[in-house]
């Protein structure tokens, strides 16, 4: 099982990548996309905070069988949601 630290690093990295791409889009396209990108950024930050809360509320105990399933579900949620954010950002830029 991956460590909690690695999971948090992955969440931070992916969040930062979405934010970097969003600011790049605002820099390139200006006011045309700013409001939609800002809404997307708020959604990404909320997701980031919710994931961090889930990680902090993980079941405890060394031999707890629920721990693996719990972190696997968090990992699956991360792997499912961040590509959606990148796709939304691409659509915003394409439909400017």
């Amino acid at each position: 099982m991956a460590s909690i630290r690695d999971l948090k690093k992955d969440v931070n990295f992916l969040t930062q990548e979405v934010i970097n791409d969003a600011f790049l889009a605002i820099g390139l396209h200006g006011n045309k996309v700013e409001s939609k990108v800002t809404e997307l950024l708020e959604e990404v930050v909320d997701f980031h905070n919710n994931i961090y809360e889930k990680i902090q509320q993980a079941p405890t105990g060394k031999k707890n069988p629920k721990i693996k399933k719990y972190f696997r579900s968090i990992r699956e949620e991360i792997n499912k949601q961040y590509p959606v954010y990148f796709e939304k950002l691409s659509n915003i830029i394409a439909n400017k």
Side-chain angles (χ1 to χ4, degrees):
M1 183 174 86
S3 70
I4 293 174
R5 182 184 313 167
D6 289 340
L7 189 60
K8 287 181 178 181
K9 284 181 181 180
D10 290 345
V11 171
N12 285 336
F13 174 77
L14 290 169
T15 302
Q16 192 62 41
E17 284 298 310
V18 173
I19 291 170
N20 288 340
D21 289 351
F23 280 121
L24 181 63
I26 290 172
L28 292 174
H29 301 289
N31 294 333
K32 296 177 186 177
V33 297
E34 188 171 358
S35 64
K36 292 180 181 178
V37 170
T38 303
E39 291 174 12
L40 178 66
L41 286 176
E42 289 174 2
E43 187 177 338
V44 169
V45 170
D46 286 342
F47 179 74
H48 175 269
N49 292 340
N50 289 337
I51 289 295
Y52 254 71
E53 286 177 21
K54 286 182 181 181
I55 292 170
Q56 294 300 329
Q57 296 172 356
T60 58
K62 273 195 165 188
K63 300 287 183 177
N64 191 341
K66 296 178 183 180
I67 293 174
K68 265 190 170 179
K69 288 181 183 180
Y70 185 80
F71 283 112
R72 189 175 297 132
S73 70
I74 291 175
R75 176 67 69 184
E76 288 172 1
E77 188 176 355
I78 290 168
N79 290 338
K80 185 176 85 174
Q81 192 61 38
Y82 278 103
V84 170
Y85 292 138
F86 284 111
E87 186 68 29
K88 284 182 179 181
L89 184 59
S90 296
N91 290 336
I92 290 169
I93 294 169
N95 296 328
K96 60 182 173 163

